[in-house]
Amino acid sequence: MKYINILFIFFLASCQSKEPVSVKEIISNEVVTILPNVKNPSIKDSIPLSVPIEFEITINSSNLKTLDLFCLIDGKRLLDDFLDYQVYDKQNKSKPIHTLDLSSKKITIIIKERNHLISKKDAVNLLKKYNKNQSIENLKFRDTIKFINANKFKMENKVIINEFNKVNDSLVFRALLEGGKMILVKKKINW
């Protein structure tokens, strides 16, 4: 009888419906960059540091009509544009995407967020640490200073990354199913 109960529990667990979308953060090998402060040029003592993050999205339902996403950084919803963040399909990183292609069951996206500021002093220290002979003073629109991949950067710069982690930043997916049912899937960003 004991074995029948165990089998029954496994059967019930396997019959439970999955969420229409599952999201998993994965280790990123994309390059960390410093960018010009286009969004807030009046801020003179800080500069944006972009630490790319990657997520693997699995579509578990054929009833999914649309899937949108937005970022919550420092408690604020960011705008999906070139000022706040950009989303790229890992298979085609040539241009940002605004809509996720639901024809594939697995999608890997890269998010390059531009809202985390570091002090110019920290930026200069990073330039020295990674032997970059560039200046942060005259960065213009579309200029970038590239460092190393995000995974290695996180390990080598824990103080900066710990500052990013002080606030629960997250990625929110809004899934619209056939029949009009909407589901939100929130995934914490582990900087």
Side-chain angles (χ1 to χ4, degrees), residues 21-24 55-59 67 69 100 104-109 173:
V21 176
S22 57
V23 180
K24 179 176 86 171
F55 288 90
E56 183 180 85
I57 304 159
T58 304
I59 309 296
L67 183 63
L69 69 107
L100 296 174
S104 176
K105 291 292 181 193
K106 281 204 190 274
I107 308 163
T108 303
I109 59 170
F173 292 87

Side-chain angles (χ1 to χ4, degrees), residues 35-48 74 76 114-120 136-137 139:
L35 308 160
N37 199 349
V38 177
K39 184 176 179 181
N40 294 314
S42 61
I43 298 176
K44 302 292 183 196
D45 63 343
S46 301
I47 193 158
D74 292 332
K76 299 175 191 159
R114 296 180 162 104
N115 258 29
H116 280 101
L117 299 176
I118 61 170
S119 71
K120 286 193 172 180
I136 58 171
E137 295 304 323
L139 289 177

Side-chain angles (χ1 to χ4, degrees), residues 142-156:
R142 296 203 187 266
D143 286 350
T144 60
I145 298 174
K146 296 179 181 181
F147 293 111
I148 58 175
N149 74 53
N151 187 41
K152 189 171 182 182
F153 185 90
K154 289 177 183 183
M155 289 187 287
E156 293 179 0

